[in-house]
Amino acid sequence: MTPDPSPSGTTPDTTAEAPAPACVLAFNVNDPSGAGGTGGDVATITAMGAHPLPVVAGVLMRDTAEVFDQHVLEPDAVVEQARSILEDVTTAAFKVGFLGSAEVVGAVAEILSDYPDVPLVAYLPSLAWMGDDEQQAYVDAFRELVLPATEVLVGNHKTLTDFLLPDWDSERPPSARELAVAAAEHGARHVLVTGIMLSAKGPQQFIDNVLASPQGALTGEKFELFETAFVGAGDTLSAALAALLASGADLHAAVGEALSFLDQSLDAGFRPGMGNVVPDRFFWALPPAEDDEGDGGEPATETAPEEPKNVSRRVH
């Protein structure tokens, strides 16, 4: 006689539910090129092993070369997206990209103020394409409302200099520490400054990328300068850093890994259109390169094409 497996006569489900990946809520505009914006955040956060929660702040009209215009959502629409998912899912980190308008900045800042213990990585892109008044209103709101909640402010050296030290008149550029001091006056704990030009040594030119606090430089990584123009690099770096912090990585280690991820993404970058090169966040999914030698042990004579070939990818 076969006994009942359970009092109810049904077989209990003994399969354990797999642990969920850390979740990152990313505020950003939609970028139809996929280089940055919500598309770039989703690709990067996923590649880093976390789960993206994308909240759309607006829509850019752009291609891979330049931004033409934007359509900003009403602040209430942005707030409703964020509140709906925050009431359901535990968020381990926030990433703030471009938010479109000063009004949306204010709405997002109000949401962030309710989660002071969740780390925030804020990215400030170049806004040279915006009108002067619109740009000034945006950066003023970002400075006063987002920086107080920011764990790490990410940006290019020139962009952060214009933002944090607009009256800088020294012949030498400000250091990462000086930018961190200026950011700290508005509440930001750290800055991650990219694109710091270093003196050329020989034929190669290098740029520095430095994490700094008001006390000084903490860590960083030097990259060889690419001769190619990229789009989406800042969103890639900031989203990768947010995903790593969400997963519990120490800040120093997270910055090092995020910079390494960015470097490899740029090195494997591709040009999908007629404009700039887009980072390949899934470089690790490419199949291994074939041996350079033929069957007879002689070097292969076929030369690699200048543009990447369409190849199938391995599943991570």
Side-chain angles (χ1 to χ4, degrees):
M1 179 178 177
T2 303
D4 255 354
S6 67
S8 63
T10 60
T11 303
D13 184 5
T14 57
T15 58
E17 187 172 328
C23 295
V24 179
L25 193 148
F27 296 94
N28 216 331
V29 292
N30 183 60
D31 172 358
S33 76
T38 52
D41 287 344
V42 167
T44 302
I45 292 166
T46 303
M48 301 306 294
H51 178 67
L53 307 172
V55 173
V56 180
V59 179
L60 287 184
M61 284 64 165
R62 70 158 304 152
D63 57 19
T64 57
E66 60 182 314
V67 178
F68 305 107
D69 202 353
Q70 68 163 332
H71 175 76
V72 181
L73 292 185
E74 290 295 324
D76 287 349
V78 179
V79 169
E80 188 172 351
Q81 289 177 75
R83 294 291 188 197
S84 297
I85 196 64
L86 285 167
E87 290 172 4
D88 176 45
V89 177
T90 299
T91 298
F94 289 110
K95 182 263 169 100
V96 165
F98 180 53
L99 301 177
S101 71
E103 291 74 21
V104 174
V105 170
V108 169
E110 187 173 345
I111 294 170
L112 297 173
S113 68
D114 292 337
Y115 300 86
D117 297 327
V118 178
L120 165 65
V121 177
Y123 168 56
L124 183 66
S126 171
L127 303 175
W129 58 272
M130 296 178 75
D132 290 345
D133 292 344
E134 186 183 20
Q135 180 183 155
Q136 191 62 52
Y138 183 91
V139 297
D140 287 347
F142 195 89
R143 182 187 298 109
E144 299 303 322
L145 301 176
V146 173
L147 287 195
T150 298
E151 180 66 26
V152 184
L153 171 64
V154 179
N156 175 270
H157 184 265
K158 183 182 185 311
T159 300
L160 292 187
T161 298
D162 293 342
F163 173 55
L164 296 168
L165 296 169
D167 299 323
W168 184 267
D169 59 2
S170 173
E171 292 185 2
R172 68 167 181 83
S175 67
R177 176 186 174 277
E178 288 167 321
L179 291 170
V181 169
E185 292 176 357
H186 301 281
R189 268 76 77 191
H190 303 87
V191 295
L192 177 52
V193 188
T194 65
I196 303 171
M197 298 300 296
L198 298 174
S199 299
K201 295 181 179 179
Q204 293 178 318
Q205 174 71 57
F206 289 87
I207 58 172
D208 207 0
N209 306 280
V210 179
L211 174 73
S213 73
Q215 288 69 47
L218 301 174
T219 188
E221 193 75 36
K222 294 180 177 64
F223 292 167
E224 184 178 350
L225 182 65
F226 289 104
E227 295 182 358
T228 304
F230 292 92
V231 60
D235 269 324
T236 302
L237 177 60
S238 50
L241 179 57
L244 289 161
L245 293 177
S247 300
D250 165 79
L251 178 59
H252 288 209
V255 167
E257 187 171 345
L259 285 169
S260 176
F261 177 82
L262 173 64
D263 190 35
Q264 293 177 83
S265 296
L266 297 182
D267 190 45
F270 58 97
R271 196 186 307 274
M274 297 180 289
N276 298 319
V277 172
V278 173
D280 186 352
R281 288 94 169 183
F282 292 92
F283 60 86
W284 44 262
L286 286 167
E290 296 181 2
D291 292 339
D292 290 335
E293 295 188 355
D295 294 338
E298 294 296 326
T301 57
E302 183 180 358
T303 58
E306 297 201 1
E307 291 294 328
K309 290 187 281 190
N310 292 322
V311 291
S312 59
R313 294 170 177 266
R314 292 181 289 116
V315 177
H316 182 51

